[in-house]
Amino acid sequence: MSSNYDAIVIGSGLGGLTAGALYAKQGKKVIVLERHLKFGGAATTFNRKGIKAEVGLHEIDGLDDGDLKIGLVEQLGLKKAMDFIPTKNFYAVRHSSLTEEFVMPEGIEQAIEYTISYFPFHKKAIQTYFKTLQQIRKSICRYSTSNRTIAWWVLNGPIFPLRFWPLLRFERITVGNYLQKLFGDNESIKLALCANFSYYTDDLYKLSILFYGAAQASFHVGGSYYIKGGSQVLSDYLIAIIKEAGGDAYTRRSVTKILIENDKTIGVEHEKAEVIAKKQPVKDKDPQQVFAPVIFGNAAPHELKKMLPENYQEPFMKPYQDKSVSTSLWTIYLAFDQNPSNFGVNHYSTFIIPDWLSSIKQVPKSASLFRQEATDKMPGFVFVDYSALESELTEDGRYFAVMTGLDHIDNWINLDEGEYQNRKNQWMENLITFLDKTFPGISERIIYKEMATARTVQDYLNTPGGAVYGFAQEPKQGGRFRPQSQTAVNGLLLTSAYAFPGGGFTGAMSAGENAIRYLKNRTS
C-alpha cells in the first residue's frame, strides 16, 4: 500500500465512489478505505442459494436529458459500461379502497392520462400535481448544476426569485399538506400517487415537496431502471476507474483518525476492521497511515466526527447537530423455485397497503409496528420481483424477490440477541403469510428467506439509527437548507447521502459530484 495520494475516500458508498472516480478521471491518485467486505455500501449484492441478492437500491431514476445526474452519467460513461433495464411500469398498488390494481405507467403523459381515467373527478387537481412535480424538478436541476460562485450570485441574486420561483414557493410545504390542498379527504388517490412513500420518508406530513417532487418527477419523466447484474456492478465499475488511474481500494480497513496539520487535513490512520456479521475482535489490527490533501467523507457526519481531533469535533458537527436523520427500512430476501408470476405477481414493483392503513396520515404507524411482538396487523410494503426483468441475478430455476418497508431502530435496539432474533423471525413468518394471502400459494415455493431490519442497516452501513437516506428531507433541513459538500474542516468534504441533495442513486452520486464541483470552483 502506497502512503501518498491526491485524495482519500472514507467509506465506499456511491457518493464517495463517484467523487473518487471523477477525481481519478482528472488524473488524480485516489485510495478508498472500506470497513466492510465489499465495496458499495447499500449498492451491493450477496450470494445465497443460487441467487445474487440485491441489498437495497432496486431502481435508478431519470437518465433523460433533464436528469440531475445526466452529466455525471456521461462523464463516467455509465450507459456504455452497463445495461439499464426499464422496469416497464413505475409501480402497481393494491389497497382495499382501490376498485382494482392501480398500475402507474412509465412516462409523464401516460401517468397523467391513466390517473385521470382512474380518478376522473380530480382531473384538474391531477394535472396540477404533475405540473408541480415537473416545475420543481426543472428548477432544482438548474440550481444544483449551477456553479454557484460569488460571480454566479452577483449575476443571479437579483433575479433568483424569478428564475427559481418553485424553490421559494414550495420549500416550506410538505407533501401531505400539498396533497390535502389538491385532493381534500380522498385518501385513495393520495395512496395511489404516493404508494412509494418508503422511498423517501415515514411521514408525508414532514416530507419536503421539493425533494419528493424532484425525485418523483424524475421517475415519471425519465423512467425507472434496474442495473443488469445488480447495483454491485456500478460500485465495482467506479472502483475500477479509480484503480485504472493508479489508485487503490481496500476492504476491511477502518479509518480511526483524520490527521490535521496547520488546520488542514493531511491524511488518515486506519486499521484492520472486524467482520461485521461475526463481530469477532481483530487480533492484529495492522495500523497504518496514508496521506492526501483531500478527504472525501462517505460516512455520516456523526461517524466522521469521531475520527477528528477533539478540538475540531464541535465546529465540524455544528451544522449537523440539530438535524434529524431519515427513516430506516426492513427487508425480507426471498428465493423461489417457481416464478412469482405463476402466483399473480404481474409487475416489478407492487406496493401492498393493508386495509387498516387507509390514510397517508397513518404511515408513521406502519414504521412502528415492529416495536411489539408479531401480530396480524401488517405494515405496508413493496414486493419487488427481480424475475420480472432480465436482471441476471439468478441461476436457472431460481427466482429472486424482496419485501421491504419502513422501520425504526427503536423497534429493535433494546432487545438482547435472543429476543431480537425471535421477534424478527416471528415478524418474517407473519409477513410471508400476509404475502401469501395476496398471492396465494407463493409461500410454498420459498427455498430461502432472510430478514434485515433497521438494526442490520445500522451495523452494515454504520449510519445513526440505521438511516438510509441521510438527513430527513424535512422543509427546514432539505432543499437549499441541506448541508453542502464543504465542511468546517479544511480539506474534508462530505460525499454521502447526508450532503445535498442526498438519498438513493441520484442523491448519493450527486453529492459526490458536488464535492468535485466544489474543488474545481475553489481552485478556479
Side-chain angles (χ1 to χ4, degrees), residues 196-244:
N196 61 328
F197 49 72
S198 56
Y199 286 11
Y200 310 115
T201 186
D202 58 352
D203 191 342
L204 288 161
Y205 280 87
K206 291 182 179 180
L207 176 65
S208 166
I209 197 169
L210 285 184
F211 175 71
Y212 169 83
Q216 198 79 342
S218 191
F219 282 117
H220 284 304
V221 177
S224 56
Y225 306 85
Y226 184 69
I227 299 172
K228 182 178 284 189
S231 61
Q232 186 78 60
V233 171
L234 173 58
S235 299
D236 291 345
Y237 174 72
L238 297 175
I239 287 288
I241 291 176
I242 291 169
K243 289 184 175 180
E244 287 168 7

Side-chain angles (χ1 to χ4, degrees), residues 12-256:
S12 67
L14 286 180
L17 292 186
T18 297
L22 289 173
Y23 215 39
K25 278 188 166 291
Q26 296 179 17
K28 305 295 185 180
K29 187 179 178 182
V30 177
I31 182 172
V32 179
L33 300 171
E34 167 59 49
R35 63 191 280 271
H36 189 26
L37 294 170
K38 290 190 172 188
F39 299 113
T44 54
T45 58
F46 61 90
N47 298 319
R48 296 284 193 279
K49 291 278 187 177
I51 64 168
K52 190 172 3 175
E54 177 62 64
V55 168
L57 298 168
H58 66 268
E59 279 180 325
I60 185 169
D61 60 286
L63 303 181
D64 60 306
D65 290 342
D67 185 13
L68 172 64
K69 62 185 176 299
I70 195 62
L72 171 63
V73 168
E74 292 172 353
Q75 286 183 70
L76 294 174
L78 299 185
K79 285 188 176 181
K80 293 181 180 179
M82 56 200 69
D83 294 328
F84 294 93
I85 311 168
T87 61
K88 300 175 185 177
N89 291 308
F90 185 5
Y91 58 75
V93 191
R94 295 196 176 199
H95 186 257
S96 58
S97 70
L98 300 171
T99 55
E100 59 184 24
E101 188 175 58
F102 181 92
V103 183
M104 182 65 77
E106 292 281 9
I108 189 75
E109 296 303 325
Q110 294 87 337
I112 295 170
E113 181 180 352
Y114 176 79
T115 308
I116 290 174
S117 71
Y118 204 103
F119 301 100
F121 296 111
H122 289 287
K123 178 178 180 180
K124 186 175 180 180
I126 291 167
Q127 291 172 332
T128 299
Y129 167 82
F130 282 102
K131 182 179 180 181
T132 297
L133 298 190
Q134 292 177 85
Q135 288 175 335
I136 288 173
R137 185 196 192 211
K138 184 177 180 181
S139 188
I140 283 185
C141 286
R142 184 188 299 144
Y143 177 77
S144 300
T145 56
S146 300
N147 288 319
R148 295 183 300 278
T149 60
I150 295 176
W152 185 91
W153 281 107
V154 170
L155 291 172
N156 289 275
I159 60 171
F160 190 92
L162 293 175
R163 194 173 184 210
F164 297 97
W165 172 238
L167 294 185
L168 299 176
R169 179 185 177 189
F170 294 110
E171 69 181 3
R172 297 191 181 278
I173 297 176
T174 68
V175 174
N177 289 332
Y178 184 71
L179 294 179
Q180 183 67 28
K181 180 180 178 181
L182 282 181
F183 303 111
D185 294 329
N186 188 334
E187 295 298 318
S188 295
I189 189 170
K190 297 175 191 176
L191 289 170
L193 291 173
C194 300
N196 61 328
F197 49 72
S198 56
Y199 286 11
Y200 310 115
T201 186
D202 58 352
D203 191 342
L204 288 161
Y205 280 87
K206 291 182 179 180
L207 176 65
S208 166
I209 197 169
L210 285 184
F211 175 71
Y212 169 83
Q216 198 79 342
S218 191
F219 282 117
H220 284 304
V221 177
S224 56
Y225 306 85
Y226 184 69
I227 299 172
K228 182 178 284 189
S231 61
Q232 186 78 60
V233 171
L234 173 58
S235 299
D236 291 345
Y237 174 72
L238 297 175
I239 287 288
I241 291 176
I242 291 169
K243 289 184 175 180
E244 287 168 7
D248 293 303
Y250 298 92
T251 57
R252 288 199 68 188
R253 299 302 301 183
S254 180
V255 174
T256 56

